[in-house]
Amino acid sequence: MSQSIFFAHANGFPSATYGKLFAALAPDYQVQHLEQHGHDPRFPVDDNWNNLVDELILHLERGAEPVWGVGHSLGGVLHYHAALRRPELYRGVALLDSPLLTGVDRMVIRAAKRFGFIDRITPAGRTIGRREAFADLAEARDYFAGKSLFSRFDPDCLDAYVQHGLRSEGQGLRLRFDPATEIDIYRSVPHISPGRPQQLQVPLAVIRGRHSRVVLPHHARLVSRAPKGEYLTLPGGHMFPLERPQDTAQLLKALFGRWQGRHQEHSA
């Protein structure tokens, strides 16, 4: 019988972009997800992402059993905060290039919000004014393929982003993920947390892209403070789940299998 993963995507990348990763996790794991975080008017983006965590918890509560929480970037932080608040909803949590922030990190973010330079330390500044509209899928694919963020994407993942990241509007196409919402999410990045790593009651893994500039080596020591914390790496950068979806799935399967084995040993 397959177990359930609840996947949460990175900011700006609808869940369907990760279809190749989901397919590689089947049939061992059934992947659930929201189409897009931050777009439900009941849960508008607020500072420190509290409403986005509430939105995630609402959907987790509808499940029949605890899940493996897997999140990329934004999505990993949401799962981490949700697991601190509601550990009974989880079997364990895997963060795909999502940092656990140190005290210094949080102080810098708080100051950046207060003094107006948050757009310089998050991708918000690069998102402002970004192209939103395209004539057709071919034009959109050529555009994104030429951007450094997408340059190492698995071709199927790039195709999935172009297919699912755009919607029809008039005679052309427009980004499905609302750019204003994407910017709001970056600007409200949490500088507080509902708990500390040592308070986390479920297994935790932070999986870093080897060339990531988001999760840095100094974040590893926070992971080690979690009672069941692991710090792992995969080749690639911040977008490694979309650069190497099959390698990511293989690592997750091995990780969850190991955690499940330990749980059964302790329960015996």
Side-chain angles (χ1 to χ4, degrees), residues 26-88:
D28 306 290
Y29 296 93
Q30 177 187 7
V31 181
Q32 307 167 43
H33 54 79
L34 299 184
E35 180 181 354
Q36 293 187 145
H37 290 263
H39 286 66
D40 187 332
R42 297 174 298 171
F43 300 98
V45 179
D46 63 338
D47 199 22
N48 297 302
W49 298 348
N50 291 311
N51 286 346
L52 300 186
V53 177
D54 288 342
E55 178 185 26
L56 175 58
I57 288 174
L58 174 69
H59 290 275
L60 292 174
E61 287 175 333
R62 294 173 176 172
E65 60 182 11
V67 300
W68 300 109
V70 178
H72 180 205
S73 194
L74 157 73
V77 177
L78 298 183
H79 272 308
Y80 174 63
H81 285 201
L84 282 165
R85 286 168 49 181
R86 298 289 303 277
E88 74 279 6

Side-chain angles (χ1 to χ4, degrees), residues 35 83 147 149 205 216:
E35 180 181 354
K147 295 295 181 181
L149 182 68
L216 301 173

Side-chain angles (χ1 to χ4, degrees), residues 134-215:
F134 304 89
D136 53 36
L137 289 174
E139 182 184 73
R141 195 186 193 287
D142 287 346
Y143 173 80
F144 290 115
K147 295 295 181 181
S148 59
L149 182 68
F150 296 85
S151 62
R152 296 181 177 84
F153 268 37
D154 178 281
D156 293 334
C157 294
L158 179 58
D159 288 343
Y161 177 73
V162 172
Q163 180 182 351
H164 301 289
L166 300 166
R167 57 179 172 82
S168 297
E169 184 176 281
Q171 299 298 311
L173 300 168
R174 183 168 292 274
L175 290 176
R176 185 181 299 276
F177 203 101
D178 177 45
T181 299
E182 183 177 353
I183 292 168
D184 285 347
I185 289 172
Y186 286 131
R187 287 176 171 169
S188 57
V189 62
H191 64 266
I192 60 173
S193 171
R196 300 176 179 178
Q198 49 266 48
Q199 296 172 299
L200 192 65
Q201 297 177 35
V202 299
L204 167 72
V206 172
I207 305 166
R208 175 182 182 253
R210 196 162 293 149
H211 303 294
S212 172
R213 291 181 289 180
V214 175
V215 175

